[in-house]
Amino acid sequence: MRKPPEISNRSRRMLLRSGLSLGALTMLTGCNLDDGDAVDRVLWAMSRFNDRIQGLLFSRTTLAPVYAASKLTTPFPFNAYYPMDNVPEIDVDNWKLEVSGLVSDKTAWTLSRLRALPQESQITRLICVEGWSAIGQWRGVPMRTFLQHIGADTTAKYVGFKCADKYFSSMDMQTALHPQTILALDTGPANEPLPPQYGYPLRIRVPTKLGFKNPKHIAAIYVTNKYPGGYWEDQGYNWFSGS
Amino acid sequence: MSSSSPADPRKTIVVHPLVVRLTHWINAFALGCMVASGWQIYNASPLLPFTFPAWATLGGWLGGGIAWHLAAMWLLVANALIYFAYGLFGRHFRRTLLPITPGGVWRDLRLALSFKLQHELGVYNAVQRLLYLVSLLLGVLAVLSGLALWKPVQLQVLDDLVGGYPVVRWIHFGAMAGLVGFFVIHIALVILVPRTLPSMITGRGRPHDVTVSES
């Protein structure tokens, strides 16, 4: 898609990557990019409206469907914003989970400390924003339990994640406190430690949100009232993306 | 529609009430956005071994397609609610879509296929009634299956009804295909009986300007 340089240089969080404004409709009506900006703004506003509606629809007691082990999808599909060759190599001896923001205990967590916390296992369907889905098993620390341990202010609005692969994402506090939202350490039919391509050593598993809201290779967790956005969310994927 | 006064053949009658015309064109726009952006989303993970050509899609990329889809859905549903309220409580459905009898459909279908069916503005023949009713039901199916795809946890009762999220994807696709099929027939018939187009814009037409036509 061609763009006049002054527009591509303008720093705007409004721009939905290359194309929100440039679909068939634009061609039909012959709109130029400036008209497209208005379309962009409407679409962003509708996406924020959809965030609020989804927050209202969300129930902390409504559980995602769970499945029998016989329904597991094998092999589980790999998906990231980069090819499999670029999966980060994590040096687990030096790995620590940073904690920051509106929490009372900001001590970083080692893997063994996380493993010492109570663990829960689930077999749920991961639904990708692209449309496909796969059933997988994950085991780890319920986010709710972890937030209690770090003394998080659970009246705050957001929980944010920073990842070793430069990915980042965030979720609403209600979803973070949902019983099926876990800090996953294990996966697969035998609940073995996460293989590199599935987010070693730690990923977020949240079956009430689309796959891209399940970040891998978590390096830092923070609690905040300032909208944290995310890698895809900043480009135009709906932020809440709840199921 | 109006009382049939055969007196003056130059006199125009109200063929389509304002509510029907407004909701028709808003629906055409909203449904067009839904289909084109839906094709964009489909292309990210095709169900069948084909993708839709980029020129026919809306949004430019997956994120744009979803943004269009989840914005236009509000227009589509709000407009449909107004139309259905009018159709049910304003007796529009009962007056124009009913009765539909197998005998009537069979008779009008044979007449239409032999190009002997007379089109009278403001009166739907039995084949039209059936087509419009099926398209309304497809629209309801598209919205319900769409809700089941959007909220497979909060509205899991919808997904459970038909066997889960992957099945719902096919149903949503099927409802789209049916609506696009309706659209093709609908446009073909408007081309065959072009004077039906102005009446959907102005609302008026000459009742006795009757020609032999397919619809």
Side-chain angles (χ1 to χ4, degrees), chain A residues 24-26 28-29 31 39 42-43, chain B residues 21-38 58 68-69 71-77 79 183:
Chain A
L25 192 79
T26 318
L28 264 176
T29 55
C31 292
V39 174
V42 170
L43 292 175
Chain B
R21 282 178 281 141
L22 276 177
T23 52
H24 172 269
W25 290 111
I26 292 171
N27 185 61
F29 172 76
L31 200 54
C33 289
M34 290 307 274
V35 169
S37 59
L58 184 56
W68 271 100
H69 210 66
M73 70 177 185
W74 292 106
L75 181 63
L76 183 90
V77 169
N79 185 62
F183 176 74

PDB file of all heavy atoms in Angstrom, chain A residues 24-26 28-29 31 39 42-43, chain B residues 21-38 58 68-69 71-77 79 183:
ATOM      1  N   ALA A  24     -11.331  -2.773   0.170  1.00  0.00           N
ATOM      2  CA  ALA A  24     -12.139  -2.650  -1.034  1.00  0.00           C
ATOM      3  C   ALA A  24     -12.981  -1.384  -0.991  1.00  0.00           C
ATOM      4  O   ALA A  24     -13.197  -0.731  -2.004  1.00  0.00           O
ATOM      5  CB  ALA A  24     -13.039  -3.869  -1.163  1.00  0.00           C
ATOM      6  N   LEU A  25     -13.437  -1.020   0.203  1.00  0.00           N
ATOM      7  CA  LEU A  25     -14.318   0.140   0.326  1.00  0.00           C
ATOM      8  C   LEU A  25     -13.616   1.400  -0.143  1.00  0.00           C
ATOM      9  O   LEU A  25     -14.179   2.216  -0.874  1.00  0.00           O
ATOM     10  CB  LEU A  25     -14.758   0.295   1.773  1.00  0.00           C
ATOM     11  CG  LEU A  25     -15.898   1.275   1.954  1.00  0.00           C
ATOM     12  CD1 LEU A  25     -17.221   0.639   1.591  1.00  0.00           C
ATOM     13  CD2 LEU A  25     -15.925   1.807   3.367  1.00  0.00           C
ATOM     14  N   THR A  26     -12.343   1.540   0.265  1.00  0.00           N
ATOM     15  CA  THR A  26     -11.578   2.717  -0.120  1.00  0.00           C
ATOM     16  C   THR A  26     -11.455   2.790  -1.631  1.00  0.00           C
ATOM     17  O   THR A  26     -11.591   3.853  -2.230  1.00  0.00           O
ATOM     18  CB  THR A  26     -10.181   2.655   0.498  1.00  0.00           C
ATOM     19  OG1 THR A  26     -10.322   2.198   1.831  1.00  0.00           O
ATOM     20  CG2 THR A  26      -9.523   3.987   0.471  1.00  0.00           C
ATOM     21  N   LEU A  28     -13.466   1.463  -3.803  1.00  0.00           N
ATOM     22  CA  LEU A  28     -14.792   1.753  -4.358  1.00  0.00           C
ATOM     23  C   LEU A  28     -15.094   3.239  -4.334  1.00  0.00           C
ATOM     24  O   LEU A  28     -15.558   3.816  -5.306  1.00  0.00           O
ATOM     25  CB  LEU A  28     -15.858   1.030  -3.528  1.00  0.00           C
ATOM     26  CG  LEU A  28     -16.335  -0.312  -4.022  1.00  0.00           C
ATOM     27  CD1 LEU A  28     -17.306  -0.907  -3.025  1.00  0.00           C
ATOM     28  CD2 LEU A  28     -16.994  -0.172  -5.382  1.00  0.00           C
ATOM     29  N   THR A  29     -14.840   3.847  -3.175  1.00  0.00           N
ATOM     30  CA  THR A  29     -15.237   5.228  -3.006  1.00  0.00           C
ATOM     31  C   THR A  29     -14.145   6.186  -3.439  1.00  0.00           C
ATOM     32  O   THR A  29     -14.374   7.383  -3.513  1.00  0.00           O
ATOM     33  CB  THR A  29     -15.564   5.516  -1.536  1.00  0.00           C
ATOM     34  OG1 THR A  29     -14.427   5.152  -0.757  1.00  0.00           O
ATOM     35  CG2 THR A  29     -16.755   4.729  -1.069  1.00  0.00           C
ATOM     36  N   CYS A  31     -11.553   6.982  -1.808  1.00  0.00           N
ATOM     37  CA  CYS A  31     -11.078   7.803  -0.694  1.00  0.00           C
ATOM     38  C   CYS A  31      -9.563   7.890  -0.733  1.00  0.00           C
ATOM     39  O   CYS A  31      -8.891   6.944  -1.095  1.00  0.00           O
ATOM     40  CB  CYS A  31     -11.471   7.178   0.642  1.00  0.00           C
ATOM     41  SG  CYS A  31     -13.219   7.195   0.939  1.00  0.00           S
ATOM     42  N   VAL A  39     -11.689   6.920   8.932  1.00  0.00           N
ATOM     43  CA  VAL A  39     -12.144   5.533   9.047  1.00  0.00           C
ATOM     44  C   VAL A  39     -11.352   4.827  10.145  1.00  0.00           C
ATOM     45  O   VAL A  39     -11.906   4.133  10.982  1.00  0.00           O
ATOM     46  CB  VAL A  39     -11.993   4.799   7.700  1.00  0.00           C
ATOM     47  CG1 VAL A  39     -12.334   3.327   7.845  1.00  0.00           C
ATOM     48  CG2 VAL A  39     -12.887   5.441   6.644  1.00  0.00           C
ATOM     49  N   VAL A  42     -12.603   5.782  13.540  1.00  0.00           N
ATOM     50  CA  VAL A  42     -13.878   5.130  13.856  1.00  0.00           C
ATOM     51  C   VAL A  42     -13.630   3.676  14.264  1.00  0.00           C
ATOM     52  O   VAL A  42     -14.184   3.191  15.252  1.00  0.00           O
ATOM     53  CB  VAL A  42     -14.845   5.193  12.650  1.00  0.00           C
ATOM     54  CG1 VAL A  42     -16.061   4.312  12.893  1.00  0.00           C
ATOM     55  CG2 VAL A  42     -15.277   6.632  12.396  1.00  0.00           C
ATOM     56  N   LEU A  43     -12.756   2.990  13.516  1.00  0.00           N
ATOM     57  CA  LEU A  43     -12.493   1.578  13.818  1.00  0.00           C
ATOM     58  C   LEU A  43     -11.807   1.412  15.172  1.00  0.00           C
ATOM     59  O   LEU A  43     -12.128   0.500  15.933  1.00  0.00           O
ATOM     60  CB  LEU A  43     -11.657   0.946  12.702  1.00  0.00           C
ATOM     61  CG  LEU A  43     -12.375   0.811  11.353  1.00  0.00           C
ATOM     62  CD1 LEU A  43     -11.422   0.294  10.295  1.00  0.00           C
ATOM     63  CD2 LEU A  43     -13.587  -0.111  11.468  1.00  0.00           C
TER      64      LEU A  43
ATOM     65  N   ARG B  21     -37.126   0.580   3.153  1.00  0.00           N
ATOM     66  CA  ARG B  21     -36.090   1.081   2.248  1.00  0.00           C
ATOM     67  C   ARG B  21     -34.823   1.440   3.012  1.00  0.00           C
ATOM     68  O   ARG B  21     -33.715   1.076   2.602  1.00  0.00           O
ATOM     69  CB  ARG B  21     -36.603   2.305   1.492  1.00  0.00           C
ATOM     70  CG  ARG B  21     -37.534   1.943   0.355  1.00  0.00           C
ATOM     71  CD  ARG B  21     -38.058   3.170  -0.335  1.00  0.00           C
ATOM     72  NE  ARG B  21     -39.144   3.804   0.410  1.00  0.00           N
ATOM     73  CZ  ARG B  21     -39.303   5.114   0.539  1.00  0.00           C
ATOM     74  NH1 ARG B  21     -38.453   5.942  -0.024  1.00  0.00           N
ATOM     75  NH2 ARG B  21     -40.320   5.598   1.219  1.00  0.00           N
ATOM     76  N   LEU B  22     -34.972   2.156   4.133  1.00  0.00           N
ATOM     77  CA  LEU B  22     -33.787   2.553   4.923  1.00  0.00           C
ATOM     78  C   LEU B  22     -33.030   1.330   5.422  1.00  0.00           C
ATOM     79  O   LEU B  22     -31.807   1.229   5.259  1.00  0.00           O
ATOM     80  CB  LEU B  22     -34.224   3.412   6.118  1.00  0.00           C
ATOM     81  CG  LEU B  22     -34.429   4.896   5.844  1.00  0.00           C
ATOM     82  CD1 LEU B  22     -34.927   5.602   7.104  1.00  0.00           C
ATOM     83  CD2 LEU B  22     -33.129   5.536   5.361  1.00  0.00           C
ATOM     84  N   THR B  23     -33.769   0.402   6.038  1.00  0.00           N
ATOM     85  CA  THR B  23     -33.082  -0.772   6.596  1.00  0.00           C
ATOM     86  C   THR B  23     -32.492  -1.627   5.472  1.00  0.00           C
ATOM     87  O   THR B  23     -31.460  -2.264   5.658  1.00  0.00           O
ATOM     88  CB  THR B  23     -34.029  -1.619   7.468  1.00  0.00           C
ATOM     89  OG1 THR B  23     -35.220  -1.905   6.729  1.00  0.00           O
ATOM     90  CG2 THR B  23     -34.376  -0.901   8.756  1.00  0.00           C
ATOM     91  N   HIS B  24     -33.138  -1.639   4.306  1.00  0.00           N
ATOM     92  CA  HIS B  24     -32.595  -2.403   3.173  1.00  0.00           C
ATOM     93  C   HIS B  24     -31.219  -1.899   2.778  1.00  0.00           C
ATOM     94  O   HIS B  24     -30.273  -2.676   2.635  1.00  0.00           O
ATOM     95  CB  HIS B  24     -33.538  -2.311   1.973  1.00  0.00           C
ATOM     96  CG  HIS B  24     -32.967  -2.916   0.719  1.00  0.00           C
ATOM     97  ND1 HIS B  24     -32.240  -2.175  -0.193  1.00  0.00           N
ATOM     98  CD2 HIS B  24     -32.986  -4.188   0.246  1.00  0.00           C
ATOM     99  CE1 HIS B  24     -31.852  -2.973  -1.185  1.00  0.00           C
ATOM    100  NE2 HIS B  24     -32.277  -4.198  -0.950  1.00  0.00           N
ATOM    101  N   TRP B  25     -31.083  -0.572   2.640  1.00  0.00           N
ATOM    102  CA  TRP B  25     -29.802  -0.044   2.143  1.00  0.00           C
ATOM    103  C   TRP B  25     -28.738  -0.035   3.224  1.00  0.00           C
ATOM    104  O   TRP B  25     -27.555  -0.247   2.948  1.00  0.00           O
ATOM    105  CB  TRP B  25     -30.001   1.346   1.525  1.00  0.00           C
ATOM    106  CG  TRP B  25     -30.777   1.254   0.234  1.00  0.00           C
ATOM    107  CD1 TRP B  25     -32.045   1.700  -0.003  1.00  0.00           C
ATOM    108  CD2 TRP B  25     -30.353   0.605  -0.979  1.00  0.00           C
ATOM    109  NE1 TRP B  25     -32.438   1.393  -1.282  1.00  0.00           N
ATOM    110  CE2 TRP B  25     -31.428   0.729  -1.905  1.00  0.00           C
ATOM    111  CE3 TRP B  25     -29.188  -0.055  -1.376  1.00  0.00           C
ATOM    112  CZ2 TRP B  25     -31.351   0.212  -3.202  1.00  0.00           C
ATOM    113  CZ3 TRP B  25     -29.117  -0.561  -2.679  1.00  0.00           C
ATOM    114  CH2 TRP B  25     -30.187  -0.425  -3.562  1.00  0.00           C
ATOM    115  N   ILE B  26     -29.146   0.207   4.466  1.00  0.00           N
ATOM    116  CA  ILE B  26     -28.165   0.107   5.563  1.00  0.00           C
ATOM    117  C   ILE B  26     -27.682  -1.343   5.670  1.00  0.00           C
ATOM    118  O   ILE B  26     -26.490  -1.612   5.832  1.00  0.00           O
ATOM    119  CB  ILE B  26     -28.777   0.587   6.898  1.00  0.00           C
ATOM    120  CG1 ILE B  26     -29.025   2.096   6.834  1.00  0.00           C
ATOM    121  CG2 ILE B  26     -27.856   0.250   8.076  1.00  0.00           C
ATOM    122  CD1 ILE B  26     -29.818   2.644   8.011  1.00  0.00           C
ATOM    123  N   ASN B  27     -28.623  -2.280   5.514  1.00  0.00           N
ATOM    124  CA  ASN B  27     -28.248  -3.686   5.564  1.00  0.00           C
ATOM    125  C   ASN B  27     -27.301  -4.045   4.426  1.00  0.00           C
ATOM    126  O   ASN B  27     -26.335  -4.785   4.622  1.00  0.00           O
ATOM    127  CB  ASN B  27     -29.498  -4.563   5.507  1.00  0.00           C
ATOM    128  CG  ASN B  27     -29.168  -6.030   5.689  1.00  0.00           C
ATOM    129  OD1 ASN B  27     -28.642  -6.423   6.710  1.00  0.00           O
ATOM    130  ND2 ASN B  27     -29.450  -6.828   4.657  1.00  0.00           N
ATOM    131  N   ALA B  28     -27.581  -3.498   3.246  1.00  0.00           N
ATOM    132  CA  ALA B  28     -26.713  -3.792   2.095  1.00  0.00           C
ATOM    133  C   ALA B  28     -25.282  -3.347   2.388  1.00  0.00           C
ATOM    134  O   ALA B  28     -24.323  -4.080   2.129  1.00  0.00           O
ATOM    135  CB  ALA B  28     -27.239  -3.086   0.839  1.00  0.00           C
ATOM    136  N   PHE B  29     -25.137  -2.145   2.982  1.00  0.00           N
ATOM    137  CA  PHE B  29     -23.801  -1.634   3.322  1.00  0.00           C
ATOM    138  C   PHE B  29     -23.152  -2.487   4.420  1.00  0.00           C
ATOM    139  O   PHE B  29     -22.011  -2.930   4.284  1.00  0.00           O
ATOM    140  CB  PHE B  29     -23.897  -0.169   3.770  1.00  0.00           C
ATOM    141  CG  PHE B  29     -22.609   0.373   4.319  1.00  0.00           C
ATOM    142  CD1 PHE B  29     -21.564   0.716   3.469  1.00  0.00           C
ATOM    143  CD2 PHE B  29     -22.435   0.531   5.693  1.00  0.00           C
ATOM    144  CE1 PHE B  29     -20.369   1.207   3.975  1.00  0.00           C
ATOM    145  CE2 PHE B  29     -21.240   1.011   6.211  1.00  0.00           C
ATOM    146  CZ  PHE B  29     -20.213   1.353   5.347  1.00  0.00           C
ATOM    147  N   ALA B  30     -23.909  -2.724   5.499  1.00  0.00           N
ATOM    148  CA  ALA B  30     -23.342  -3.455   6.639  1.00  0.00           C
ATOM    149  C   ALA B  30     -22.981  -4.885   6.244  1.00  0.00           C
ATOM    150  O   ALA B  30     -21.908  -5.393   6.583  1.00  0.00           O
ATOM    151  CB  ALA B  30     -24.333  -3.464   7.811  1.00  0.00           C
ATOM    152  N   LEU B  31     -23.865  -5.538   5.503  1.00  0.00           N
ATOM    153  CA  LEU B  31     -23.608  -6.916   5.095  1.00  0.00           C
ATOM    154  C   LEU B  31     -22.425  -6.983   4.134  1.00  0.00           C
ATOM    155  O   LEU B  31     -21.606  -7.903   4.198  1.00  0.00           O
ATOM    156  CB  LEU B  31     -24.870  -7.507   4.463  1.00  0.00           C
ATOM    157  CG  LEU B  31     -24.965  -9.030   4.412  1.00  0.00           C
ATOM    158  CD1 LEU B  31     -24.779  -9.634   5.793  1.00  0.00           C
ATOM    159  CD2 LEU B  31     -26.313  -9.459   3.836  1.00  0.00           C
ATOM    160  N   GLY B  32     -22.323  -5.987   3.250  1.00  0.00           N
ATOM    161  CA  GLY B  32     -21.167  -5.918   2.348  1.00  0.00           C
ATOM    162  C   GLY B  32     -19.870  -5.829   3.138  1.00  0.00           C
ATOM    163  O   GLY B  32     -18.898  -6.530   2.848  1.00  0.00           O
ATOM    164  N   CYS B  33     -19.851  -4.971   4.176  1.00  0.00           N
ATOM    165  CA  CYS B  33     -18.668  -4.859   5.039  1.00  0.00           C
ATOM    166  C   CYS B  33     -18.396  -6.184   5.749  1.00  0.00           C
ATOM    167  O   CYS B  33     -17.240  -6.611   5.858  1.00  0.00           O
ATOM    168  CB  CYS B  33     -18.875  -3.764   6.095  1.00  0.00           C
ATOM    169  SG  CYS B  33     -18.863  -2.099   5.432  1.00  0.00           S
ATOM    170  N   MET B  34     -19.452  -6.818   6.244  1.00  0.00           N
ATOM    171  CA  MET B  34     -19.280  -8.073   6.984  1.00  0.00           C
ATOM    172  C   MET B  34     -18.697  -9.165   6.084  1.00  0.00           C
ATOM    173  O   MET B  34     -17.800  -9.905   6.492  1.00  0.00           O
ATOM    174  CB  MET B  34     -20.611  -8.553   7.571  1.00  0.00           C
ATOM    175  CG  MET B  34     -21.146  -7.704   8.703  1.00  0.00           C
ATOM    176  SD  MET B  34     -19.975  -7.426  10.044  1.00  0.00           S
ATOM    177  CE  MET B  34     -20.244  -8.876  11.043  1.00  0.00           C
ATOM    178  N   VAL B  35     -19.226  -9.284   4.874  1.00  0.00           N
ATOM    179  CA  VAL B  35     -18.762 -10.340   3.969  1.00  0.00           C
ATOM    180  C   VAL B  35     -17.313 -10.077   3.548  1.00  0.00           C
ATOM    181  O   VAL B  35     -16.452 -10.960   3.641  1.00  0.00           O
ATOM    182  CB  VAL B  35     -19.688 -10.456   2.740  1.00  0.00           C
ATOM    183  CG1 VAL B  35     -19.068 -11.361   1.681  1.00  0.00           C
ATOM    184  CG2 VAL B  35     -21.058 -10.992   3.159  1.00  0.00           C
ATOM    185  N   ALA B  36     -17.016  -8.841   3.117  1.00  0.00           N
ATOM    186  CA  ALA B  36     -15.667  -8.541   2.618  1.00  0.00           C
ATOM    187  C   ALA B  36     -14.623  -8.647   3.740  1.00  0.00           C
ATOM    188  O   ALA B  36     -13.521  -9.156   3.524  1.00  0.00           O
ATOM    189  CB  ALA B  36     -15.639  -7.158   1.982  1.00  0.00           C
ATOM    190  N   SER B  37     -14.969  -8.170   4.940  1.00  0.00           N
ATOM    191  CA  SER B  37     -14.015  -8.299   6.051  1.00  0.00           C
ATOM    192  C   SER B  37     -13.951  -9.753   6.530  1.00  0.00           C
ATOM    193  O   SER B  37     -12.897 -10.225   6.964  1.00  0.00           O
ATOM    194  CB  SER B  37     -14.386  -7.366   7.207  1.00  0.00           C
ATOM    195  OG  SER B  37     -15.686  -7.636   7.693  1.00  0.00           O
ATOM    196  N   GLY B  38     -15.082 -10.454   6.443  1.00  0.00           N
ATOM    197  CA  GLY B  38     -15.092 -11.875   6.799  1.00  0.00           C
ATOM    198  C   GLY B  38     -14.191 -12.678   5.882  1.00  0.00           C
ATOM    199  O   GLY B  38     -13.493 -13.600   6.325  1.00  0.00           O
ATOM    200  N   LEU B  58     -11.804  -6.674   2.726  1.00  0.00           N
ATOM    201  CA  LEU B  58     -11.814  -5.370   3.377  1.00  0.00           C
ATOM    202  C   LEU B  58     -10.889  -5.423   4.591  1.00  0.00           C
ATOM    203  O   LEU B  58     -10.883  -6.407   5.337  1.00  0.00           O
ATOM    204  CB  LEU B  58     -13.246  -5.044   3.810  1.00  0.00           C
ATOM    205  CG  LEU B  58     -13.546  -3.686   4.436  1.00  0.00           C
ATOM    206  CD1 LEU B  58     -13.118  -2.558   3.527  1.00  0.00           C
ATOM    207  CD2 LEU B  58     -15.029  -3.584   4.757  1.00  0.00           C
ATOM    208  N   TRP B  68     -12.903  -4.169  11.130  1.00  0.00           N
ATOM    209  CA  TRP B  68     -14.103  -3.875  10.323  1.00  0.00           C
ATOM    210  C   TRP B  68     -15.260  -4.788  10.737  1.00  0.00           C
ATOM    211  O   TRP B  68     -16.397  -4.346  10.898  1.00  0.00           O
ATOM    212  CB  TRP B  68     -13.804  -4.093   8.835  1.00  0.00           C
ATOM    213  CG  TRP B  68     -13.270  -2.885   8.130  1.00  0.00           C
ATOM    214  CD1 TRP B  68     -11.964  -2.627   7.837  1.00  0.00           C
ATOM    215  CD2 TRP B  68     -14.023  -1.778   7.628  1.00  0.00           C
ATOM    216  NE1 TRP B  68     -11.862  -1.420   7.192  1.00  0.00           N
ATOM    217  CE2 TRP B  68     -13.105  -0.879   7.026  1.00  0.00           C
ATOM    218  CE3 TRP B  68     -15.382  -1.453   7.606  1.00  0.00           C
ATOM    219  CZ2 TRP B  68     -13.496   0.316   6.440  1.00  0.00           C
ATOM    220  CZ3 TRP B  68     -15.778  -0.260   7.008  1.00  0.00           C
ATOM    221  CH2 TRP B  68     -14.841   0.610   6.437  1.00  0.00           C
ATOM    222  N   HIS B  69     -14.944  -6.072  10.873  1.00  0.00           N
ATOM    223  CA  HIS B  69     -15.981  -7.075  11.141  1.00  0.00           C
ATOM    224  C   HIS B  69     -16.684  -6.778  12.472  1.00  0.00           C
ATOM    225  O   HIS B  69     -17.908  -6.810  12.563  1.00  0.00           O
ATOM    226  CB  HIS B  69     -15.345  -8.464  11.179  1.00  0.00           C
ATOM    227  CG  HIS B  69     -16.245  -9.579  10.740  1.00  0.00           C
ATOM    228  ND1 HIS B  69     -16.710  -9.706   9.451  1.00  0.00           N
ATOM    229  CD2 HIS B  69     -16.779 -10.628  11.414  1.00  0.00           C
ATOM    230  CE1 HIS B  69     -17.477 -10.783   9.355  1.00  0.00           C
ATOM    231  NE2 HIS B  69     -17.545 -11.366  10.543  1.00  0.00           N
ATOM    232  N   ALA B  71     -16.767  -3.981  14.059  1.00  0.00           N
ATOM    233  CA  ALA B  71     -17.424  -2.667  14.099  1.00  0.00           C
ATOM    234  C   ALA B  71     -18.738  -2.739  13.322  1.00  0.00           C
ATOM    235  O   ALA B  71     -19.798  -2.341  13.820  1.00  0.00           O
ATOM    236  CB  ALA B  71     -16.506  -1.600  13.507  1.00  0.00           C
ATOM    237  N   ALA B  72     -18.675  -3.297  12.109  1.00  0.00           N
ATOM    238  CA  ALA B  72     -19.871  -3.350  11.256  1.00  0.00           C
ATOM    239  C   ALA B  72     -20.951  -4.257  11.844  1.00  0.00           C
ATOM    240  O   ALA B  72     -22.134  -4.091  11.549  1.00  0.00           O
ATOM    241  CB  ALA B  72     -19.485  -3.828   9.848  1.00  0.00           C
ATOM    242  N   MET B  73     -20.543  -5.194  12.715  1.00  0.00           N
ATOM    243  CA  MET B  73     -21.545  -6.099  13.283  1.00  0.00           C
ATOM    244  C   MET B  73     -22.591  -5.337  14.096  1.00  0.00           C
ATOM    245  O   MET B  73     -23.764  -5.714  14.131  1.00  0.00           O
ATOM    246  CB  MET B  73     -20.894  -7.182  14.148  1.00  0.00           C
ATOM    247  CG  MET B  73     -20.294  -6.694  15.447  1.00  0.00           C
ATOM    248  SD  MET B  73     -19.635  -8.091  16.400  1.00  0.00           S
ATOM    249  CE  MET B  73     -19.156  -7.254  17.914  1.00  0.00           C
ATOM    250  N   TRP B  74     -22.170  -4.228  14.735  1.00  0.00           N
ATOM    251  CA  TRP B  74     -23.127  -3.455  15.535  1.00  0.00           C
ATOM    252  C   TRP B  74     -24.158  -2.783  14.636  1.00  0.00           C
ATOM    253  O   TRP B  74     -25.348  -2.733  14.969  1.00  0.00           O
ATOM    254  CB  TRP B  74     -22.397  -2.411  16.379  1.00  0.00           C
ATOM    255  CG  TRP B  74     -21.554  -3.027  17.450  1.00  0.00           C
ATOM    256  CD1 TRP B  74     -20.193  -3.133  17.468  1.00  0.00           C
ATOM    257  CD2 TRP B  74     -22.015  -3.655  18.654  1.00  0.00           C
ATOM    258  NE1 TRP B  74     -19.785  -3.800  18.612  1.00  0.00           N
ATOM    259  CE2 TRP B  74     -20.880  -4.116  19.358  1.00  0.00           C
ATOM    260  CE3 TRP B  74     -23.284  -3.876  19.215  1.00  0.00           C
ATOM    261  CZ2 TRP B  74     -20.972  -4.783  20.579  1.00  0.00           C
ATOM    262  CZ3 TRP B  74     -23.369  -4.537  20.431  1.00  0.00           C
ATOM    263  CH2 TRP B  74     -22.225  -4.971  21.097  1.00  0.00           C
ATOM    264  N   LEU B  75     -23.681  -2.250  13.503  1.00  0.00           N
ATOM    265  CA  LEU B  75     -24.601  -1.628  12.553  1.00  0.00           C
ATOM    266  C   LEU B  75     -25.562  -2.670  11.999  1.00  0.00           C
ATOM    267  O   LEU B  75     -26.776  -2.452  11.916  1.00  0.00           O
ATOM    268  CB  LEU B  75     -23.795  -0.979  11.418  1.00  0.00           C
ATOM    269  CG  LEU B  75     -24.592  -0.258  10.336  1.00  0.00           C
ATOM    270  CD1 LEU B  75     -25.347   0.923  10.923  1.00  0.00           C
ATOM    271  CD2 LEU B  75     -23.681   0.196   9.200  1.00  0.00           C
ATOM    272  N   LEU B  76     -25.003  -3.825  11.625  1.00  0.00           N
ATOM    273  CA  LEU B  76     -25.817  -4.903  11.057  1.00  0.00           C
ATOM    274  C   LEU B  76     -26.924  -5.321  12.027  1.00  0.00           C
ATOM    275  O   LEU B  76     -28.099  -5.415  11.662  1.00  0.00           O
ATOM    276  CB  LEU B  76     -24.925  -6.104  10.734  1.00  0.00           C
ATOM    277  CG  LEU B  76     -25.636  -7.278  10.063  1.00  0.00           C
ATOM    278  CD1 LEU B  76     -25.594  -7.121   8.554  1.00  0.00           C
ATOM    279  CD2 LEU B  76     -25.037  -8.608  10.471  1.00  0.00           C
ATOM    280  N   VAL B  77     -26.530  -5.547  13.283  1.00  0.00           N
ATOM    281  CA  VAL B  77     -27.501  -6.073  14.258  1.00  0.00           C
ATOM    282  C   VAL B  77     -28.513  -4.997  14.662  1.00  0.00           C
ATOM    283  O   VAL B  77     -29.716  -5.269  14.744  1.00  0.00           O
ATOM    284  CB  VAL B  77     -26.769  -6.653  15.490  1.00  0.00           C
ATOM    285  CG1 VAL B  77     -27.744  -6.958  16.615  1.00  0.00           C
ATOM    286  CG2 VAL B  77     -26.015  -7.925  15.094  1.00  0.00           C
ATOM    287  N   ASN B  79     -29.529  -2.450  12.924  1.00  0.00           N
ATOM    288  CA  ASN B  79     -30.422  -2.267  11.776  1.00  0.00           C
ATOM    289  C   ASN B  79     -31.394  -3.438  11.655  1.00  0.00           C
ATOM    290  O   ASN B  79     -32.592  -3.239  11.413  1.00  0.00           O
ATOM    291  CB  ASN B  79     -29.556  -2.130  10.521  1.00  0.00           C
ATOM    292  CG  ASN B  79     -30.367  -1.819   9.291  1.00  0.00           C
ATOM    293  OD1 ASN B  79     -31.017  -0.791   9.229  1.00  0.00           O
ATOM    294  ND2 ASN B  79     -30.345  -2.720   8.311  1.00  0.00           N
ATOM    295  N   PHE B 183     -27.723 -13.102  -2.611  1.00  0.00           N
ATOM    296  CA  PHE B 183     -27.356 -11.820  -3.226  1.00  0.00           C
ATOM    297  C   PHE B 183     -27.241 -11.962  -4.751  1.00  0.00           C
ATOM    298  O   PHE B 183     -27.743 -11.119  -5.504  1.00  0.00           O
ATOM    299  CB  PHE B 183     -26.032 -11.337  -2.624  1.00  0.00           C
ATOM    300  CG  PHE B 183     -25.491 -10.075  -3.234  1.00  0.00           C
ATOM    301  CD1 PHE B 183     -26.076  -8.852  -2.950  1.00  0.00           C
ATOM    302  CD2 PHE B 183     -24.405 -10.117  -4.094  1.00  0.00           C
ATOM    303  CE1 PHE B 183     -25.575  -7.687  -3.514  1.00  0.00           C
ATOM    304  CE2 PHE B 183     -23.903  -8.964  -4.660  1.00  0.00           C
ATOM    305  CZ  PHE B 183     -24.492  -7.740  -4.364  1.00  0.00           C
TER     306      PHE B 183
END
